[in-house]
Amino acid sequence: MIPYKQTTPFTTAASSLLIILNHFNPSIKLTQENEFDIWKNTVNLPTRASSIYALATYAKRQGLNPKVIVEEKEYNFPDYRFYCYKKEDIQHAAFSAEQHLKEAEKNNISIKEKEIFLKDIKKELNKNHLVLLRINTKPLRNEKRNTSNFIVVHGYQNEFFNIIDPLFGALSIPEETMQEAFHTLETKKYRDHRMIIFETIK
């Protein structure tokens, strides 16, 4: 897979999806234009973050067959005040998220609601599938604040996860670090685990 560096702090998910799309279809170039096209079609307004359902819809329109797994279908942003959003903004974002969910369902995208474990990620990787996974990137980036971001996970071997973080590029992460990033998404960031699975085209 070819890494791509995001050009803004708020297009991590869009950039991660772009990396996956380029992997399956090299004619989809790793450009800022495509990064922003994904972002503007998937953003969960009035926030600047992308909706997992809109990301899946975008991927399906590019010919892929994404499978969405979430622990909670409903929108949730418990620490929104730290990002200068108001309660009214989050109410609007919840409505926006619901519209993205309906659009994904309309496009017959597989959406399952169930608890996700790190072993589930390994299982998909063992099938050579790609995973767009939401984690707390603080342990990976040595950041001061816990952050919720979607990154590409594309391999697991010898107790290391192979990932592409659009902020830093391709990385090999020890399982212990990935465990921390995975579990603290819930315990410190208070967000549910979410992922999109992309089956390798045979």
Side-chain angles (χ1 to χ4, degrees), residues 93-110:
F95 178 79
S96 180
E98 182 67 20
Q99 301 312 298
H100 286 310
L101 173 58
K102 289 179 179 178
E103 183 67 17
E105 292 173 336
K106 179 181 176 181
N107 282 276
N108 297 314
I109 292 173
S110 173

Side-chain angles (χ1 to χ4, degrees), residues 7 10-11 44 47 106 137 152-153 155 157 161 172 178 189 200:
T7 61
F10 50 85
T11 50
N44 205 35
T47 73
K106 179 181 176 181
T137 51
V152 181
V153 187
Q157 56 185 350
F161 285 88
S172 186
M178 180 61 90
K189 187 61 180 173
T200 303

Side-chain angles (χ1 to χ4, degrees), residues 3 13 17 21 29 39 48 52 62 76 81-82 93 104 121 127 129 140 149 159 172 185-186 196-197:
L17 180 59
L21 294 176
K29 303 300 182 183
W39 176 72
R48 296 190 297 180
I52 189 171
Q62 303 307 312
N76 189 24
R81 292 182 180 86
F82 291 103
I121 314 302
K127 296 177 183 177
H129 295 166
L140 311 183
N149 283 302
E159 299 183 348
S172 186
L185 174 70
E186 184 177 27
I196 305 178
I197 300 167

Side-chain angles (χ1 to χ4, degrees), residues 99-149:
Q99 301 312 298
H100 286 310
L101 173 58
K102 289 179 179 178
E103 183 67 17
E105 292 173 336
K106 179 181 176 181
N107 282 276
N108 297 314
I109 292 173
S110 173
I111 302 172
K112 292 185 179 180
E113 187 175 22
K114 73 180 192 69
E115 191 170 2
I116 301 172
F117 301 95
L118 201 59
K119 65 180 181 181
D120 298 323
I121 314 302
K122 292 181 184 179
K123 182 179 178 181
E124 297 301 330
L125 297 174
N126 287 335
K127 296 177 183 177
N128 293 319
H129 295 166
L130 303 180
V131 180
L132 185 63
L133 177 67
R134 184 160 79 171
I135 61 170
N136 174 15
T137 51
K138 178 182 177 181
L140 311 183
R141 300 174 175 177
N142 293 317
E143 297 170 316
K144 293 182 179 180
R145 185 164 65 177
N146 294 296
T147 57
S148 170
N149 283 302

Side-chain angles (χ1 to χ4, degrees), residues 8-197:
T8 79
F10 50 85
T11 50
T12 304
S15 298
S16 291
L17 180 59
L18 178 58
I19 291 167
I20 291 173
L21 294 176
N22 171 262
H23 175 73
F24 286 112
N25 183 1
S27 68
I28 301 175
K29 303 300 182 183
L30 298 171
T31 64
Q32 185 179 28
E33 287 78 10
N34 284 333
E35 172 191 357
F36 267 69
D37 187 67
I38 295 172
W39 176 72
K40 72 181 182 181
N41 280 283
T42 63
V43 63
N44 205 35
L45 296 172
T47 73
R48 296 190 297 180
S50 291
S51 159
I52 189 171
Y53 306 118
L55 290 167
T57 298
Y58 192 100
K60 185 158 188 177
R61 287 173 178 165
Q62 303 307 312
L64 301 186
N65 185 31
K67 296 181 179 179
V68 176
I69 301 179
V70 297
E71 292 185 328
E72 297 177 7
K73 280 190 176 182
E74 293 76 18
Y75 179 79
N76 189 24
F77 194 168
D79 58 345
Y80 65 88
R81 292 182 180 86
F82 291 103
Y83 295 85
C84 299
Y85 291 119
K86 300 177 181 178
K87 185 177 181 180
E88 183 180 13
D89 295 326
I90 301 309
Q91 291 172 338
H92 291 320
F95 178 79
S96 180
E98 182 67 20
Q99 301 312 298
H100 286 310
L101 173 58
K102 289 179 179 178
E103 183 67 17
E105 292 173 336
K106 179 181 176 181
N107 282 276
N108 297 314
I109 292 173
S110 173
I111 302 172
K112 292 185 179 180
E113 187 175 22
K114 73 180 192 69
E115 191 170 2
I116 301 172
F117 301 95
L118 201 59
K119 65 180 181 181
D120 298 323
I121 314 302
K122 292 181 184 179
K123 182 179 178 181
E124 297 301 330
L125 297 174
N126 287 335
K127 296 177 183 177
N128 293 319
H129 295 166
L130 303 180
V131 180
L132 185 63
L133 177 67
R134 184 160 79 171
I135 61 170
N136 174 15
T137 51
K138 178 182 177 181
L140 311 183
R141 300 174 175 177
N142 293 317
E143 297 170 316
K144 293 182 179 180
R145 185 164 65 177
N146 294 296
T147 57
S148 170
N149 283 302
F150 282 96
I151 63 165
V152 181
V153 187
H154 61 92
Y156 175 79
Q157 56 185 350
N158 300 323
E159 299 183 348
F160 277 78
F161 285 88
N162 298 321
I163 72 167
I164 298 180
D165 178 352
L167 189 64
F168 288 110
L171 300 171
S172 186
I173 302 298
E175 183 165 350
E176 182 179 353
T177 304
M178 180 61 90
Q179 286 268 9
E180 182 182 358
F182 182 80
H183 291 297
T184 57
L185 174 70
E186 184 177 27
T187 61
K188 293 186 178 180
K189 187 61 180 173
Y190 309 111
R191 308 296 293 274
D192 66 304
H193 298 108
R194 297 183 164 205
M195 65 181 178
I196 305 178
I197 300 167

